[in-house]
Amino acid sequence: MTINQINRRKTLSPSRTMVKPHFEVNTLRIEDMVIDVSGRPNCYFKRLKYVGCPRINATTLEFDKGVELVDAGRDDFIRECYRLMSVNPTETTVGRFYSLVDYVQWVDDTGQDVPKDGHLAWSLIDVYMKWCSQQNKLGIINKDNLTHRKRVIAWFLKQLNRSHEIDNLPKIKGRRTVQGSIVSLDLESELKPTVKALFRAYNILLRHFYNATLPVQHPLYDKELVEKEAVRLGLKGLELAGHRGAFKKVFSKAHPNKHLVEVAMMLTYMFTGINNTPLAKMKLSDVHFREVHGGKYILDSEKGRAAHQEQDNALGFSKHAKQFIESWLDVSKKLNNRNERAYLFPYFTSDGRVISYSQTSRQPQQTINKLLTRMGFTPISSSKFRKTKSDTLFRVTESVYLVAASNNNSIEVTARTYIHGTEKEHENNLSAAMSAKHAMIRGKEVTAAVAEAKFDHGDILDDYEYQQLRKSEDRTHEARTPTGTRCKDSRQGSALIIEKSLQKAGIKTGESEVACTDFLSCFECQQHAFVTDVDDIWLMLSFKDTLQQLQQTPAVNSMPERKYTKLFNTVASVLKGFKDKNANNYNQALEKLKEAPHPLYSTVYSLNDLLEIFA
């Protein structure tokens, strides 16, 4: 009796279904090959089947009627590409697909002979990359586009186990030194009016949110600016009606909370400088409050491009920033039913789902920019806000380290971008140089021309800007000088020279007694600042009047002619800058001058008296 007979068990024989085949064959029509990534356009591989890769109609999802479809006979190539790209597709996959379309269109449009090795034969790739480089030199495609095309080709080579050929792709010189097309916003003419408009819109939308109502039109609307832009563009008839009606039309199809979320996102970009995707993916639980420096909010996020390094983004140092983020946290919690794992800035789909903006093909600024441009404002984006923040921080601190820390970037990247100055600075310096040159051609003295140009194109701050810049600094020795300028530290500048002179003369001074008294040199001192405060302007206007009176009374004027001319031109130039910066404060100061000059300059002898006391 055998063992099998004792156990009464039959011998197990392997069946065909139990044996794993060496490979699997998936039969799939090219017409059915579609890669769908949420929030991004679908990738239809059937486009590659026909000569020229004709477009797919977004409504019918078919080729447009009347388009001639010529089969290019590259089905095997298409199947191979789909096999490689359909594994765990992401947004990057979509970018690769459209770059692949560009490549195949080039093959068709230029009538290339496809080698026996197929569409990815090295000989064909080599010709394509040389063509791309030539297009870049002609300015038809930019360096970033060229780099992207090269990167996609390299990806395909790597997937096909041809990594050794990647080194043969052309080197793209100078890309690491190019700052890109993102230009920071001008603080006065672009950033400030735009932010004011966004805050106005946010506060109005906030009231409607709590009242469960909707405004008739988007609160960005400013009738005067809209009409002014319409006149500038020469709009008439239907174009004018569309221009005016755009602010009402945006509420017709959108989710009730869409506009409030988008405006809040743009203000957060402005305050923090966070990139688009990290902020879109942020959850309510990523926001923390820390009791440091008066309290601030920390927005924790990850930056995918930087190997998913953690970012530490502070928001709330200023009163406005703190009030804003606290109000938005309250709104976001209500929108998300207090779910801490929900998105800080939720996107509401047409079917009622709540997703992240990073999962959509929309940018939060799309609608906002359409409305801003109708008021003559510059379009905005997270990148522009980030660049503006960085440019401003570097100009104020001149510290690559601080800008790098603020941007969560390496010092190398930051230095490459900012250490040579910003575009705005170069434009300002160039304008100053040209103004000085023009003045010299007209016969003006060199020193006077340079001084006038320097202050025509220098930074003049309003009181809020000055207070913000000085907020974290030691202001113990700050002063308002007799000329109307602000002195950031009266122990510096000529104070050091005066102290040395006193020491040589055998006069000892205590540390608390060290102070600069050479107020006529303030304009050339690095410690000076120009602030459009009414009293500052009133003081400088009075100083200017005294200078004019001195010129008319030679017997009283003890100042050398050269020094007098230089000083008068400088003061006149600064006052012009005050008027341009803040006409309202300038006019108030002018009214005060009409009533009476500043007490320091009550008579024509006032300046000489001051010089005798302080000089």
Side-chain angles (χ1 to χ4, degrees), residues 223-248:
K223 183 178 180 180
E224 182 180 346
L225 294 177
V226 170
E227 295 301 320
K228 184 178 179 180
E229 185 65 7
V231 171
R232 188 185 74 82
L233 296 174
L235 301 180
K236 295 180 181 179
L238 292 176
E239 286 185 339
L240 179 59
H243 178 76
R244 292 169 174 168
F247 293 83
K248 293 181 179 179

Side-chain angles (χ1 to χ4, degrees), residues 43 139 155 314 366 400 481 547:
C43 304
W155 182 84
Q366 279 182 233
V400 174
T481 74
L547 286 176

Side-chain angles (χ1 to χ4, degrees), residues 23-26 28 30 33-35 45 48 75-89 93 96-97 100 120 155-161:
F23 58 87
E24 295 180 3
V25 178
N26 294 320
L28 183 65
I30 289 176
M33 293 180 183
V34 181
I35 291 180
F45 281 75
L48 303 173
D75 289 12
D76 290 343
F77 166 70
I78 297 171
R79 293 181 191 279
E80 178 70 1
C81 291
Y82 180 77
R83 181 185 69 79
L84 296 173
M85 300 175 71
S86 59
V87 180
N88 299 323
T93 307
R96 288 183 185 133
F97 173 77
L100 177 64
L120 290 175
W155 182 84
F156 275 108
L157 292 174
K158 185 176 180 180
Q159 303 307 308
L160 296 171
N161 296 318

Side-chain angles (χ1 to χ4, degrees), residues 265-288:
M265 285 188 79
M266 298 317 297
L267 286 173
T268 308
Y269 286 138
M270 186 272 297
F271 278 123
T272 65
I274 300 178
N275 283 319
N276 196 339
T277 301
L279 184 64
K281 291 182 177 180
M282 199 172 293
K283 307 291 182 65
L284 273 165
S285 57
D286 294 326
V287 183
H288 312 286

Side-chain angles (χ1 to χ4, degrees), residues 543-560:
F543 177 59
K544 181 190 173 188
D545 280 359
T546 301
L547 286 176
Q548 286 180 312
Q549 291 172 12
L550 282 175
Q551 183 70 1
Q552 295 166 8
T553 316
V556 179
N557 186 10
S558 60
M559 195 183 305

Side-chain angles (χ1 to χ4, degrees), residues 193-194 197-198 200 218-230 232-233 243 247 368-378:
T194 300
L198 288 174
R200 182 181 69 246
H218 199 292
L220 279 174
Y221 179 74
D222 185 309
K223 183 178 180 180
E224 182 180 346
L225 294 177
V226 170
E227 295 301 320
K228 184 178 179 180
E229 185 65 7
R232 188 185 74 82
L233 296 174
H243 178 76
F247 293 83
I368 291 173
N369 279 338
K370 289 179 181 178
L371 302 181
L372 288 176
T373 53
R374 293 183 184 278
M375 297 189 295
F377 289 165
T378 303

Side-chain angles (χ1 to χ4, degrees), residues 22-71:
H22 292 293
F23 58 87
E24 295 180 3
V25 178
N26 294 320
T27 304
L28 183 65
R29 296 189 315 139
I30 289 176
E31 286 72 13
D32 297 328
M33 293 180 183
V34 181
I35 291 180
D36 181 8
V37 176
S38 179
R40 302 291 291 168
N42 287 350
C43 304
Y44 295 96
F45 281 75
K46 63 183 179 181
R47 291 184 61 188
L48 303 173
K49 182 179 177 66
Y50 303 101
V51 173
C53 304
R55 294 181 179 276
I56 300 293
N57 188 293
T59 304
T60 64
L61 304 183
E62 297 293 340
F63 296 108
D64 289 330
K65 292 182 178 179
V67 174
E68 185 179 5
L69 300 177
V70 180
D71 195 325

